[in-house]
Amino acid sequence: QVQLVESGGGLVQDGGSLRLSCAASGSISSMYVMGWHRQAPGKQRELVATITGSGSTIYADSVKGRFTVSRDNAKNTLFLQMNSLKPEDTGVYYCRLTTYKDYWGKGTQVTVSS
């Protein structure tokens, strides 16, 4: 069984930075794809960034150049460095790990004030 626990969310001003972490436990392989998604109030959950076990990344156009996804395979931890935050980045950020199915964390709230 896989468990994912996000941390690092909070309240930050427009232009600020936050670093999210996602600790994974259970039967984890460094080859699994991991990623971050977010859901704003009243909107569908959307992809923010993904990273493969070898470090290949994909970003949503809205966060390119501002967010950086990384992982520490030895510690089974996923990170999301978020810089130049905007009010539209506000939402609950979820960690996802994909094996033969998707596992999700419970999310961490990020609020960017204008």
Side-chain angles (χ1 to χ4, degrees):
Q1 187 70 13
V2 173
Q3 290 189 325
L4 303 172
V5 179
E6 302 96 336
S7 61
L11 174 64
V12 64
Q13 290 188 333
D14 190 354
S17 297
L18 284 173
R19 188 186 194 216
L20 306 183
S21 299
C22 171
S25 60
S27 299
I28 306 296
S29 166
S30 62
M31 299 304 295
Y32 296 152
V33 175
M34 298 187 74
W36 291 98
H37 295 247
R38 68 186 180 189
Q39 188 166 16
K43 295 187 177 181
Q44 290 187 332
R45 191 173 298 188
E46 63 176 359
L47 172 71
V48 174
T50 64
I51 184 168
T52 68
S54 59
S56 297
T57 58
I58 295 175
Y59 293 94
D61 287 343
S62 60
V63 306
K64 283 181 181 177
R66 301 187 297 122
F67 291 10
T68 302
V69 62
S70 61
R71 63 193 289 171
D72 183 335
N73 291 330
K75 297 182 178 180
N76 292 331
T77 303
L78 178 72
F79 303 99
L80 185 68
Q81 178 65 45
M82 304 186 295
N83 298 327
S84 302
L85 282 161
K86 305 175 182 180
E88 51 263 43
D89 295 318
T90 294
V92 179
Y93 283 68
Y94 297 92
C95 174
R96 188 201 79 207
L97 183 147
T98 300
T99 61
Y100 62 92
K101 70 174 186 178
D102 285 333
Y103 293 90
W104 295 89
K106 293 183 178 181
T108 185
Q109 176 70 44
V110 171
T111 303
V112 184
S113 63
S114 57

